[in-house]
Amino acid sequence: MTEPTQPTPSPAPAPKERTDGVRVSLPPDARPSEAASPGRAPRRPAALQPRRRFGGTEAQIRGALGFYMVCAWISGTFLLLLVAEMITRYGLGYDLIAGGTDRATGQTVALGWQDLELENLAGGVNISTWILIVHGWFYVVYLISCFRIWTLMRWPFPQLVVMALGGVVPFLSFVVERKIHASTTAELRANPKAAKRY
């Protein structure tokens, strides 16, 4: 018994030569091997590709980037101080007091821990509370800096969400700031004509 034979695929038809005598030259960037490959999508000409556009001049973007960097570091530092303050206040039961008076001895304490149950210190400035207040207000400034660089760079909305989370997740603002700085400078370098000209 003989096995059925598979039909051999016929080769692609060869291109026909021109018979009218007109010679056609190829463009300098033409690659016949790529054009002959089946299933390869032709590359769009550079004139038809979407161009990157920024929302401001390069000086505005670099200024907003510098402001964002400073805000990210200050907000991240105060967030770490706030975490330490929450641990000492709610975990250990102490607040940091500056310039308080010891109730037992009557002496002024330049910087000391107040036991929240015993209230061993009177008066003074509660540093723990001020850390909370400063971080809360500076987080608003940090959000403004995030919005400014996000608007100028015209990034997608999820990028703004990640940047905003940097001010409430410990250590995230430092990581995000490094990535934002690297990507912004890379985009400015790769697209020198994308910035607005005023």
Side-chain angles (χ1 to χ4, degrees):
M1 188 168 177
T2 62
E3 293 186 19
T5 59
Q6 295 286 337
T8 58
S10 60
K16 296 183 179 180
E17 294 184 17
R18 293 184 67 120
T19 57
D20 55 2
V22 177
R23 303 190 105 194
V24 179
S25 60
L26 291 173
D29 61 342
R31 294 186 182 94
S33 61
E34 290 183 7
S37 302
R40 185 183 294 266
R43 189 164 185 259
R44 293 169 66 183
L48 299 178
Q49 290 182 359
R51 290 170 39 178
R52 180 73 165 93
R53 287 282 179 219
F54 299 135
T57 64
E58 184 175 349
Q60 288 173 327
I61 293 170
R62 291 195 184 278
L65 180 63
F67 180 59
Y68 166 74
M69 288 170 52
V70 171
C71 289
W73 278 89
I74 293 174
S75 181
T77 303
F78 270 99
L79 181 60
L80 294 178
L81 289 173
L82 180 62
V83 169
E85 185 268 331
M86 292 293 180
I87 291 171
T88 58
R89 174 177 280 183
Y90 299 109
L92 304 175
Y94 288 95
D95 269 352
L96 186 61
I97 303 292
T101 305
D102 191 336
R103 287 184 189 264
T105 63
Q107 293 181 348
T108 302
V109 179
L111 195 63
W113 294 102
Q114 178 181 10
D115 190 331
L116 295 176
E117 289 183 11
L118 301 176
E119 294 188 4
N120 57 325
L121 296 177
V125 177
N126 191 329
I127 302 293
S128 299
T129 302
W130 275 102
I131 288 172
L132 190 139
I133 293 170
V134 170
H135 175 264
W137 280 106
F138 200 82
Y139 181 66
V140 175
V141 177
Y142 172 73
L143 285 179
I144 292 170
S145 72
C146 292
F147 184 76
R148 175 78 173 142
I149 190 73
W150 174 77
T151 304
L152 290 174
M153 292 303 293
R154 295 185 175 171
W155 284 321
F157 184 71
Q159 182 73 33
L160 179 63
V161 174
V162 171
M163 292 167 70
L165 286 175
V168 293
V169 178
F171 297 105
L172 186 61
S173 68
F174 305 118
V175 175
V176 171
E177 183 274 322
R178 286 183 64 99
K179 291 186 182 277
I180 292 296
H181 186 269
S183 68
T184 302
T185 53
E187 283 189 60
L188 285 173
R189 200 169 33 249
N191 303 287
K193 296 183 178 179
K196 278 187 180 178
R197 308 283 183 216
Y198 292 118

